Amino acid sequence: MHLFCHDHPETLGVETQAVEFQPGRIALAQSPFYPGGGGQLADQGVVRWSGGEAKVVGFEVAGGKVWHLLDTEAEIAGAVEALVDPEFRRKMRQLHTGTHILNAYVFQSFDGALVTGVQMAADGTARMDFDVPGADNDRLRALEGPINDAIRQNIPVNFAYIGMSVAQAEHGLIRSRSVAPPPTPDGKVRIVEIMGLDRQACGGTHLTSTGDSPPLRILKIENKGRHNRRVRLGLAENP
Ligand SMILES: [Zn+2]
């Protein structure tokens, strides 16, 4: 699914129209919200219309349509202003970009190890599970240095759409089934590239440059069975 926020991650407010309304939910002609998925939490924010304002409390994606779930059943029609909470989005973009940087170094240092799960949290932390049989946890912990070097180097982050069959043929591009986005209706997949460091299929929102993130800390490493390691990382609150 191709979302407005994929191409315009900096546009957090749009003036648009209600295209369909049901009590407690609305579909919009254009929406700046990320509805969640791939381990990234859905955006928070509000919609405003001539009759008032409602909090967006969740999303439901069905039949190519994004329903915005609201904290009111008041009827909404006509012009709507849709506004994403900027702080929350910024934190998710930082955290999400951080998971790519961690992923890049694990992929490089542990023989192309794959991600088996990822989940970001509202408190600015995330967990990533990797399939790294017999990994030395100290080696994983030591990735904190290179991760913060990559943030300091302020590396540009770009994206492009390529054909699904081309993507599947490039080793390492589909890093995990659980985080790879579904292809667009014309069979393309979105590739996010931290220039010179990492390139992978992803449908979330990211920074446009790594330097827009505070430093990251590796908080904890847990063994999840013989194969999997769970790495917890977090944005340093007071860099
Ligand atoms: Zn991503």
Side-chain angles (χ1 to χ4, degrees):
M1 186 170 196
H2 199 138
L3 299 170
F4 176 82
C5 65
H6 284 156
D7 299 338
H8 309 280
E10 318 276 352
T11 305
L12 301 182
V14 299
E15 307 215 351
T16 183
Q17 297 283 323
V19 291
E20 206 173 333
F21 169 82
Q22 292 173 358
R25 58 192 207 158
I26 192 170
L28 301 171
Q30 189 177 60
S31 172
F33 290 97
Y34 181 66
Q40 183 181 338
L41 295 177
D43 277 330
Q44 300 172 355
V46 296
V47 291
R48 286 185 192 141
W49 70 103
S50 60
E53 177 177 305
K55 208 183 244 184
V56 178
V57 295
F59 300 88
E60 209 178 288
V61 182
K65 195 182 294 173
V66 178
W67 286 101
H68 302 64
L69 311 182
L70 308 174
D71 69 344
T72 173
E73 299 205 336
E75 188 165 353
I76 304 175
V80 173
E81 197 182 358
L83 300 163
V84 174
D85 179 328
E87 278 306 301
F88 188 80
R89 165 69 71 83
R90 192 164 62 100
K91 197 190 283 179
M92 284 302 119
R93 290 173 72 193
Q94 290 170 338
L95 207 48
H96 195 143
T97 306
T99 64
H100 280 240
I101 300 172
L102 168 66
N103 190 342
Y105 287 116
V106 171
F107 188 75
Q108 286 173 16
S109 312
F110 293 88
D111 198 23
L114 294 179
V115 178
T116 52
V118 58
Q119 185 59 55
M120 292 156 226
D123 65 359
T125 67
R127 63 168 169 77
M128 284 193 96
D129 296 343
F130 295 98
D131 183 13
V132 280
D136 175 353
N137 288 355
D138 286 337
R139 271 185 68 209
L140 279 166
R141 215 168 276 121
L143 297 178
E144 188 181 284
I147 289 169
N148 286 302
D149 287 342
I151 290 172
R152 268 191 296 274
Q153 285 162 22
N154 200 17
I155 306 168
V157 183
N158 295 339
F159 65 89
Y161 288 86
I162 67 169
M164 190 53 157
S165 53
V166 179
Q168 280 165 340
E170 185 178 327
H171 174 67
L173 209 51
I174 311 286
R175 208 63 65 77
S176 153
R177 279 190 215 291
S178 68
V179 298
T184 59
D186 59 349
K188 296 218 158 120
V189 66
R190 185 168 184 262
I191 304 301
V192 175
E193 182 162 12
I194 302 174
M195 300 310 287
L197 177 67
D198 186 61
R199 184 171 149 82
Q200 63 173 287
C202 188
T205 64
H206 311 81
L207 298 172
T208 51
S209 196
T210 60
D212 295 334
S213 174
L216 280 162
R217 303 279 170 252
I218 290 183
L219 304 171
K220 197 175 180 186
I221 295 168
E222 296 165 273
N223 294 355
K224 294 278 167 188
R226 250 201 305 168
H227 277 261
N228 285 285
R229 294 290 183 278
R230 174 166 291 178
V231 180
R232 290 185 185 276
L233 71 162
L235 300 166
E237 293 298 330
N238 301 301

